[in-house]
Amino acid sequence: MSGEDNLLKLVEVEAPDDQDYLLQEQVGFILRKAHQRHVAIFAAHIGDLTPPQFAALAKLRDVGETSQNQLGTLIAMDAATVKGVIDRLKARGLVELSRHEVDKRRLLVNLTAAGRDAIERLIPLAREITQETLAPLSAKEIATFMKLLVKLA
Amino acid sequence: MSGEDNLLKLVEVEAPDDQDYLLQEQVGFILRKAHQRHVAIFAAHIGDLTPPQFAALAKLRDVGETSQNQLGTLIAMDAATVKGVIDRLKARGLVELSRHEVDKRRLLVNLTAAGRDAIERLIPLAREITQETLAPLSAKEIATFMKLLVKLA
DNA sequence: TTGATATCATTTGCATACGAATGAATTTCT
DNA sequence: AGAAATTCATTCGTATGCAAATGATATCAA
């Protein structure tokens, strides 16, 4: 019985029927939905900042002044994307920009006092966002999920 | 020793120090990176179609003709987003649009012959994309991960 | 030293993604 | 039937996200 099942499974893997392709079971599709849900939870808690903007501030808090490019690497954004994010944070007075003294290509980014205040104030909310995002899972499931998600990312 | 560690852990959970907030350990951040990685894998296999466009075609293959709105619900896109996706698929001749005879509000979407050919041709590639996305995990880990991801999405 | 390479930033173009506002058509309620 | 509420689609504005091209600066190598 189980031998036959295994055989069938093998055959399926080797020569799957196109009829069986179900979008709603594919990782990519579900990953997109999970991400959407998280963004919605984020917006419900922190309305005036997007997740990428928050990520930029949180990382600047960690590492202090860095180049725009380096910051992009740290928060997984390409150069074009990070520029837009930083421009908007600068327009709101949360970060300030300056040129690197030695390497004139680099644009240094740093938190302003307002930016530091904002990120310190928002971090407790961010903890709630993480909690609510993971709420469908038990503590043990969370540990398992996070371990596997890290492997996948 | 381990007793002290557990006590420390408990204290940490109850009253976490803001200093401990690490962006790179938050679900939302890793979810975003995992999604990014999947999109990159998708683009490497299917260059001339985006994941949302593919999702629309795959779902139309499943359910046949539907309204634009209903399709959006099925593939988790809001009305504004699905419109853009369908417009581009229409411009490429992969779907065709018509008005619902009875309910004149509804815009019916259907695959063209070219659209059906395209999705049938792409599904084997989509299987590879799913496989490659999940490649960092073992078969058992994949089963666990998918179960938990579904709960989260 | 200078010529080739590499790095950093910017810009453009295209494609999601979503909130909010609007208009048209339908349904529900009274 | 007529008014109110709902639903479907569209449009606008804002914000990622990435590829590709460009310009400025640095670094490396012959």
Side-chain angles (χ1 to χ4, degrees):
Chain A
M1 194 67 90
S2 73
E4 278 181 28
D5 280 357
N6 287 338
L7 185 55
L8 281 174
K9 273 238 160 61
L10 272 174
V11 170
E12 239 180 336
V13 168
E14 297 296 336
D17 187 343
D18 278 6
Q19 293 304 124
D20 286 350
Y21 184 85
L22 292 178
L23 181 70
Q24 62 272 20
E25 292 179 0
Q26 308 302 311
V27 221
F29 184 72
I30 312 177
L31 223 36
R32 175 169 150 272
K33 288 213 300 176
H35 181 247
Q36 276 178 359
R37 174 170 168 270
H38 171 260
V39 172
I41 292 170
F42 188 102
H45 284 77
I46 300 180
D48 65 339
L49 222 55
T50 64
Q53 289 167 0
F54 175 86
L57 296 183
K59 187 49 77 176
L60 282 172
R61 172 178 176 271
D62 279 357
V63 303
E65 190 175 59
T66 5
S67 74
Q68 199 174 263
N69 227 36
Q70 175 63 13
L71 181 61
T73 300
L74 293 172
I75 59 182
M77 283 178 215
D78 73 5
T81 302
V82 81
K83 183 187 191 313
V85 173
I86 293 303
D87 279 354
R88 285 180 283 276
L89 291 176
K90 174 181 154 62
R92 294 174 54 176
L94 300 177
V95 302
E96 53 192 359
L97 304 178
S98 59
R99 280 288 163 188
H100 192 287
E101 283 299 312
V102 178
D103 187 340
K104 294 176 195 165
R105 292 170 307 178
R106 298 190 202 173
L107 187 62
L108 296 176
V109 190
N110 210 347
L111 291 175
T112 60
R116 185 165 299 277
D117 282 356
I119 188 62
E120 297 295 346
R121 179 175 52 80
L122 292 175
I123 281 178
L125 301 184
R127 286 188 211 283
E128 291 176 20
I129 291 168
T130 291
Q131 273 205 341
E132 189 171 334
T133 300
L134 292 171
L137 305 183
S138 71
K140 188 171 292 185
E141 286 174 332
I142 289 175
T144 303
F145 179 74
M146 291 301 291
K147 185 171 62 89
L148 299 179
L149 183 61
V150 165
K151 275 197 188 183
L152 216 73
Chain B
M1 195 66 91
S2 73
E4 279 180 27
D5 280 357
N6 288 338
L7 184 56
L8 280 173
K9 272 235 158 65
L10 273 175
V11 170
E12 242 179 334
V13 168
E14 298 296 336
D17 186 343
D18 278 7
Q19 293 303 125
D20 285 352
Y21 185 84
L22 292 178
L23 180 71
Q24 63 272 18
E25 292 179 1
Q26 308 302 312
V27 221
F29 183 73
I30 312 178
L31 223 37
R32 175 169 150 271
K33 288 212 300 176
H35 182 247
Q36 276 179 359
R37 173 170 168 271
H38 171 260
V39 172
I41 291 171
F42 188 102
H45 283 78
I46 301 180
D48 65 340
L49 223 55
T50 65
Q53 290 168 359
F54 175 86
L57 296 182
K59 187 49 78 176
L60 284 173
R61 173 178 176 270
D62 279 356
V63 301
E65 190 175 58
T66 4
S67 74
Q68 198 173 262
N69 228 34
Q70 175 63 14
L71 181 60
T73 299
L74 293 172
I75 58 181
M77 283 178 217
D78 73 3
T81 301
V82 80
K83 184 187 189 310
V85 173
I86 294 302
D87 279 354
R88 285 180 283 275
L89 291 176
K90 174 181 155 61
R92 293 174 54 176
L94 300 178
V95 301
E96 52 191 0
L97 304 178
S98 59
R99 280 289 164 188
H100 191 285
E101 282 300 311
V102 179
D103 188 339
K104 295 176 196 164
R105 292 171 306 178
R106 297 190 203 173
L107 187 63
L108 297 175
V109 190
N110 210 347
L111 290 175
T112 61
R116 186 166 297 278
D117 283 356
I119 188 62
E120 297 296 347
R121 178 175 52 81
L122 292 175
I123 281 178
L125 300 183
R127 286 189 210 284
E128 291 176 20
I129 290 167
T130 291
Q131 274 207 342
E132 188 171 333
T133 300
L134 292 171
L137 306 182
S138 71
K140 188 171 291 182
E141 286 174 331
I142 289 176
T144 304
F145 179 75
M146 291 302 290
K147 184 171 63 86
L148 299 179
L149 183 61
V150 166
K151 277 197 187 183
L152 216 71

